[in-house]
Amino acid sequence: MSVKIRLTRIGRHKEAIYRVVVADSRFARDGRYVEQIGYFDPSKGEENADINVEAALKWLQKGAQPSDSIRTLFTKKGIMQKYAESKKASK
């Protein structure tokens, strides 16, 4: 099972809001997911995204692959830096 951290779209027409979820890559974009770890409202900007850092780090350490948009969001929130530090410290 290939697990990905990605966005699922919710909200109204032309007023998109996204959930940050951990899902099997074979599931539909807005379909079933394993765990919701946050949400992102593009109208408020990337710095106002609400993400559970501990859950994100847990899934990254288990091998979940972030999508390109999530990788950018995690980098701006500092989560990828924390993941790199924890990976370096474990070795």
Side-chain angles (χ1 to χ4, degrees):
M1 179 168 87
S2 175
V3 178
K4 299 234 181 235
I5 302 174
R6 63 184 183 194
L7 298 172
T8 62
R9 190 179 193 278
I10 57 174
R12 294 168 44 172
H13 180 67
K14 295 190 179 183
E15 295 178 11
I17 298 174
Y18 297 94
R19 288 183 181 146
V20 180
V21 298
V22 178
D24 187 330
S25 63
R26 297 171 290 184
F27 294 160
R29 178 194 73 180
D30 297 335
R32 192 168 60 174
Y33 55 85
V34 178
E35 182 180 0
Q36 179 180 342
I37 60 172
Y39 67 90
F40 168 57
D41 187 354
S43 65
K44 294 182 181 177
E46 293 174 337
E47 53 277 345
N48 291 327
D50 183 32
I51 298 171
N52 184 344
V53 177
E54 293 82 24
L57 288 172
K58 175 187 80 169
W59 282 105
L60 286 171
Q61 289 169 350
K62 287 184 176 182
Q65 296 296 313
S67 67
D68 293 338
S69 55
I70 290 295
R71 184 178 299 277
T72 303
L73 192 63
F74 280 7
T75 301
K76 290 190 179 187
K77 297 290 274 184
I79 296 172
M80 293 307 286
Q81 180 69 28
K82 289 179 184 176
Y83 171 62
E85 290 170 1
S86 68
K87 191 173 178 182
K88 190 175 182 180
S90 66
K91 286 186 177 182

